[in-house]
Amino acid sequence: MNNRKFIHLLLLTLVLLAACSSPQQSGRQIASFSFTDQDGESFGTDELKGEVWVANFIFTECETVCPPMTFEMAELQQMASEQELDVQFVSFTVDPMVDTPEKLKAYVTQFTEDDSNWHLLTGYSQEAIKNLALEQFQTIVQKPKTSDQVIHGTNFYLINPEGFIVNEFNYAEDDFEEKLLKEVKRYLH
């Protein structure tokens, strides 16, 4: 084998070994934020540092996708608990002028009895959530002036302990919970 082939084989081997190692940082890193959760407490990236977390976008007056999305988040929370996975859940309201901490608290209690690791966030402007969604999660948030319904993305985002979005999942897929939790386990070593 000549030196050139040996070097190519060596580089290919190193690339393959790197791909088989522990999960790498990938995707976009979430910029620092601190908002208000359903208990009226400050909550943000400082509290999430070193944690695996799942995020989505919802609002309490939603007449379409939010109730099933919130139900699925509650299912994920329950499945993670049953599997003893230490995961945080974060739901950003896309209607912060309507969704007060009290309203978010009443909303989440319709889906779970334990919201200790699930933070529904508010306390920012409509423009701020529009920008956060677009710049950090590359999804849309738009509140038309002619409607009380907010247009927003419906994916669930998996964020690793270093604060990088490592994957996103369509909540309407039948087995998305299993796929998401399988990936969560990769980051909980």
Side-chain angles (χ1 to χ4, degrees):
M1 180 183 310
N2 66 33
N3 279 345
R4 188 176 193 153
K5 284 185 178 179
F6 177 75
I7 290 173
H8 283 204
L9 183 61
L10 180 62
L11 288 174
L12 179 63
T13 302
L14 290 174
V15 168
L16 290 173
L17 286 173
C20 295
S21 66
S22 63
Q24 300 295 309
Q25 293 179 167
S26 61
R28 303 165 303 280
Q29 187 169 28
I30 302 298
S32 179
F33 67 82
S34 182
F35 301 128
T36 304
D37 72 8
Q38 72 272 20
D39 294 318
E41 301 291 327
S42 242
F43 189 85
T45 47
D46 284 351
E47 290 75 19
L48 291 165
K49 188 174 183 167
E51 300 283 348
V52 174
W53 52 292
V54 176
N56 72 352
F57 295 87
I58 54 96
F59 65 109
T60 62
E61 297 294 316
C62 180
E63 298 171 356
T64 56
V65 297
C66 300
M69 286 177 64
T70 307
F71 175 82
E72 292 297 336
M73 188 72 103
E75 287 288 306
L76 270 174
Q77 181 198 37
Q78 181 64 36
M79 291 170 71
S81 175
E82 289 168 359
Q83 296 178 36
E84 298 180 358
L85 301 175
D86 186 14
V87 183
Q88 296 293 312
F89 298 91
V90 177
S91 295
F92 296 93
T93 179
V94 296
D95 200 5
M97 299 304 107
V98 172
D99 287 341
T100 62
E102 298 79 17
K103 195 162 185 183
L104 290 169
K105 183 71 168 183
Y107 182 75
V108 75
T109 59
Q110 297 173 53
F111 298 91
T112 186
E113 293 177 5
D114 177 16
D115 64 354
S116 62
N117 66 333
W118 187 354
H119 301 271
L120 285 78
L121 301 181
T122 190
Y124 38 80
S125 69
Q126 193 66 45
E127 188 70 16
I129 191 60
K130 176 183 170 184
N131 292 336
L132 178 105
L134 185 60
E135 294 166 8
Q136 303 296 313
F137 293 88
Q138 295 183 345
T139 191
I140 187 170
V141 168
Q142 186 177 29
K143 186 169 184 177
K145 295 188 187 316
T146 58
S147 174
D148 65 350
Q149 296 298 291
V150 183
I151 300 163
H152 63 92
T154 59
N155 281 348
F156 284 54
Y157 300 86
L158 177 61
I159 297 91
N160 73 11
E162 290 77 35
F164 285 84
I165 298 173
V166 292
N167 208 343
E168 54 189 274
F169 299 84
N170 180 337
Y171 84 96
E173 287 184 18
D174 288 338
D175 59 349
F176 99 94
E177 298 102 334
E178 290 82 11
K179 289 179 182 174
L180 191 153
L181 292 176
K182 181 178 180 182
E183 195 160 337
V184 162
K185 291 174 187 174
R186 294 176 56 208
Y187 295 98
L188 291 176
H189 293 284

